[in-house]
Amino acid sequence: MLEKLAKQTAIYGISTIVVRFLNYLLTPYYTRIFDQGEYGIVTDIYALIPFALVLLSMGMESSFFRFTTRAEEQGGDIAEGKRKVFASTWGVTSLNAAIFFFAVLLLNAPISRAMGEAYVQHPEYVTIVAAIVMVDVWTMIPFSRLREQGRAMHFVMLKALSVLLNVGLAIGFGIAGLYATDFGVGWVLIANLIASIVTLLALLPTTNRIVPRIDWGLMRQIFVYSVPLLISGIAGTANEFIDRQMIKYLAPGDSAEAMAQLGIYGAIVKIAVVMTLFTQMYRLAAEPFFLAGFKKEEFKEANAASMKYFVMASMVIFLGIVLFSDLFALIVGRDFREGIDILPIVLASNVMAGVWFNLSFWYKREEKTKYAAYITFLGLAVTILLSFVLVPKMGYRGAAWVRLVAEATMMLFSYALCRKHYPIPYDLRGIGEYLALTVAIYLTSEYALKPLGEGIHLAGNVVLFSVAICFAVWREKIDIRALARAVIGKFIRR
């Protein structure tokens, strides 16, 4: 049982990282064929889609898992019970998505005006995005059913199909010269819509001809469970993506200038892909690990150690990117590199997000998930209020600082709650040493070496990065030879 769980966790984790990385490959392509304003539209749309997905799914993915488990616990005709849960949750989410699509279709004009001048000129963009959201919501519960059934490889293959088709079509449309037409960015959306539709069609045979059919008696029970998840999910997703909307509506200049700033911001955020993927990989591995059946003291000890090693690894990744940011800037097109100065701020925000994720395990373990809502709503309030102060003055740079302050606020509040309700002996001295070394190395590179010229700066950064690695190895007493032998031995045995 444990071996099967570990295998599936590895498959889901690796596949998610690979899928996200493939999507990121479009960033260097788009930032070389679109100008800042056009890429701003792409950034804007793909910040709104996750919010719509969370809203329309209503926490039904988690509810599906919980109520299929309840069907097993209740006994009787378990297969029929699971079919009813699947048909009802799929039916409700599908109905929501269809209503959403037709509402957008009817209200296309006012929605386009509210979204900005770019959408007034191309209201069809809004309709296509609504169609993408509708189809993606329709696939959510069938994908969840594959996970519930343990069909990990089937799940992975269909996700990979969607991404590969999307990437292939996007590049193919560019080769065909379609992005140079008046429809422009709309072809990015068409590629996504085609990939989503093909994925849905490939997914339908896995449903065993079960049709969406809502049992409202069952749904009343499910809604009681799912509404808190929906509220927390909306706040969390809004806090993650609302900075893009603040730039669009509050940045100085006219609508076109604001979209250009949004494009620059979105491109620089994508450069932080390594940190994002590391945090995602850690999340996938850590969540099932820490929510398993640990004894209280064992949990505290493991969580404390995990926090220190997370900070250590984050330090190495942070320095590896900021010390060689000129090289990482080549990922995006020349017109977008002017915003590279916000990269350290974005990376620091991602590190803090990982730290407060670490601090969330105690209340998830204790089933006090109300604290998740407190933390996310606090971060959302800070983001909104501070954006009105900084974004009109500083544009996308202000948005980067707002994001940093919001993540820091959530991290500190999470730590205060943890210390009060569930004290964990974190190695604050060790964590502090890593943070102090990181800041010292960054400041040395930026203010002592950079004025000396590119050659000295690059050589000095190599030395500084080596110092950081050696410090981590020395402090944690990592046996490099033994680690290398173990890795090589695994490959030889294979």
Side-chain angles (χ1 to χ4, degrees):
M1 179 67 73
L2 290 177
E3 183 179 352
K4 180 180 178 181
L5 176 61
K7 180 180 178 181
Q8 291 187 356
T9 300
I11 292 172
Y12 290 133
I14 294 170
S15 67
T16 300
I17 291 167
V18 170
V19 165
R20 291 192 66 175
F21 181 73
L22 287 172
N23 267 325
Y24 278 118
L25 290 179
L26 289 173
T27 300
Y29 182 64
Y30 286 155
T31 55
R32 283 168 171 81
I33 63 173
F34 294 134
D35 62 29
Q36 295 172 349
E38 290 171 327
Y39 190 70
I41 297 173
V42 176
T43 301
D44 183 34
I45 287 170
Y46 284 96
L48 291 171
I49 286 176
F51 185 79
L53 293 177
V54 169
L55 184 64
L56 296 174
S57 65
M58 300 188 303
M60 286 297 155
E61 288 180 291
S62 297
S63 300
F64 170 76
F65 290 122
R66 179 68 190 96
F67 279 81
T68 52
T69 301
R70 185 177 291 185
E72 293 177 350
E73 294 169 350
Q74 291 174 344
D77 191 342
I78 295 175
E80 178 58 30
K82 287 187 174 183
R83 279 196 295 271
K84 187 179 292 186
V85 172
F86 173 63
S88 294
T89 52
W90 191 21
V92 165
T93 53
S94 297
L95 179 62
N96 272 352
I99 293 172
F100 168 79
F101 174 74
F102 285 109
V104 171
L105 203 61
L106 291 172
L107 301 172
N108 184 282
I111 292 173
S112 298
R113 285 195 297 272
M115 291 182 66
E117 183 61 30
Y119 304 96
V120 173
Q121 295 176 8
H122 291 282
E124 64 273 19
Y125 290 177
V126 177
T127 303
I128 299 170
V129 170
I132 292 170
V133 169
M134 179 177 68
V135 177
D136 285 352
V137 171
W138 285 352
T139 65
M140 278 185 173
I141 300 302
F143 268 125
S144 297
R145 186 168 182 261
L146 288 178
R147 293 171 61 193
E148 187 269 331
Q149 293 176 335
R151 299 166 69 180
M153 286 307 301
H154 207 138
F155 176 94
V156 169
M157 294 297 290
L158 288 174
K159 286 288 185 181
L161 168 68
S162 178
V163 173
L164 289 172
L165 187 57
N166 188 19
V167 172
L169 286 171
I171 295 175
F173 288 163
I175 294 172
L178 296 179
Y179 296 129
T181 65
D182 183 61
F183 193 53
V185 171
W187 290 107
V188 173
L189 306 177
I190 291 295
N192 192 332
L193 179 58
I194 292 172
S196 295
I197 291 173
V198 171
T199 303
L200 174 63
L201 295 176
L203 191 59
L204 288 177
T206 70
T207 63
N208 297 333
R209 298 183 180 178
I210 299 174
V211 297
R213 183 175 299 165
I214 303 171
D215 182 323
W216 290 107
L218 174 62
M219 284 311 305
R220 279 193 290 271
Q221 302 175 47
I222 293 177
F223 278 132
V224 171
Y225 180 86
S226 68
V227 167
L229 296 175
L230 171 63
I231 294 171
S232 178
I234 289 173
T237 306
N239 192 52
E240 186 174 352
F241 293 103
I242 200 171
D243 51 353
R244 280 76 155 178
Q245 300 306 303
M246 292 300 179
I247 294 172
K248 186 172 77 171
Y249 291 110
L250 299 178
D254 59 23
S255 176
E257 291 172 325
M259 292 305 289
Q261 291 203 44
L262 181 57
I264 295 171
Y265 183 80
I268 300 302
V269 168
K270 288 293 182 71
I271 294 179
V273 57
V274 177
M275 183 68 77
T276 305
L277 292 179
F278 168 68
T279 304
Q280 178 71 5
M281 180 169 28
Y282 177 78
R283 181 189 296 268
L284 290 165
E287 199 154 36
F289 177 79
F290 281 115
L291 298 182
F294 275 103
K295 293 180 180 178
K296 186 172 183 178
E297 291 308 313
E298 290 176 342
F299 170 84
K300 288 185 175 183
E301 181 181 347
N303 189 240
S306 175
M307 176 71 85
K308 182 181 68 172
Y309 289 118
F310 175 84
V311 172
M312 180 191 74
S314 297
M315 175 203 74
V316 173
I317 295 171
F318 176 90
L319 290 175
I321 297 175
V322 299
L323 293 181
F324 307 103
S325 59
D326 289 345
L327 298 177
F328 279 93
L330 298 176
I331 293 174
V332 300
R334 189 182 303 275
D335 293 343
F336 297 82
R337 296 171 196 167
E338 65 181 72
I340 198 66
D341 57 299
I342 69 169
L343 182 58
I345 305 171
V346 173
L347 288 168
S349 300
N350 290 345
V351 173
M352 291 181 183
V355 171
W356 79 257
F357 174 72
N358 252 301
L359 291 164
S360 72
F361 291 123
W362 73 267
Y363 61 72
K364 291 178 180 177
R365 170 187 167 88
E366 298 298 303
E367 298 187 1
K368 296 181 179 180
T369 51
K370 62 182 181 181
Y371 291 119
Y374 297 161
I375 294 165
T376 52
F377 273 106
L378 174 63
L380 182 59
V382 170
T383 299
I384 293 173
L385 293 175
L386 203 54
S387 290
F388 280 99
V389 177
L390 295 184
V391 176
K393 296 179 180 179
M394 302 171 62
Y396 66 85
R397 291 182 174 86
W401 282 109
V402 169
R403 182 174 179 178
L404 180 67
V405 173
E407 295 291 357
T409 301
M410 290 189 288
M411 179 185 71
L412 293 173
F413 184 50
S414 297
Y415 178 71
L417 288 174
C418 178
R419 189 170 182 178
K420 179 180 180 180
H421 298 287
Y422 200 89
I424 294 175
Y426 292 116
D427 183 2
L428 297 182
R429 178 178 175 179
I431 292 171
E433 288 177 3
Y434 284 126
L435 293 177
L437 179 64
T438 302
V439 172
I441 288 177
Y442 173 69
L443 293 178
T444 301
S445 170
E446 193 69 14
Y447 297 103
L449 296 177
K450 195 171 184 178
L452 300 178
E454 291 184 8
I456 295 176
H457 187 210
L458 179 60
N461 284 347
V462 172
V463 173
L464 290 173
F465 187 63
S466 300
V467 168
I469 297 291
C470 291
F471 177 79
V473 171
W474 169 78
R475 196 187 188 287
E476 304 305 327
K477 298 179 174 60
I478 300 173
D479 190 336
I480 298 296
R481 291 182 180 178
L483 184 63
R485 284 197 298 268
V487 173
I488 294 171
K490 285 184 178 181
F491 279 106
I492 291 174
R493 284 193 294 271
R494 288 178 183 177

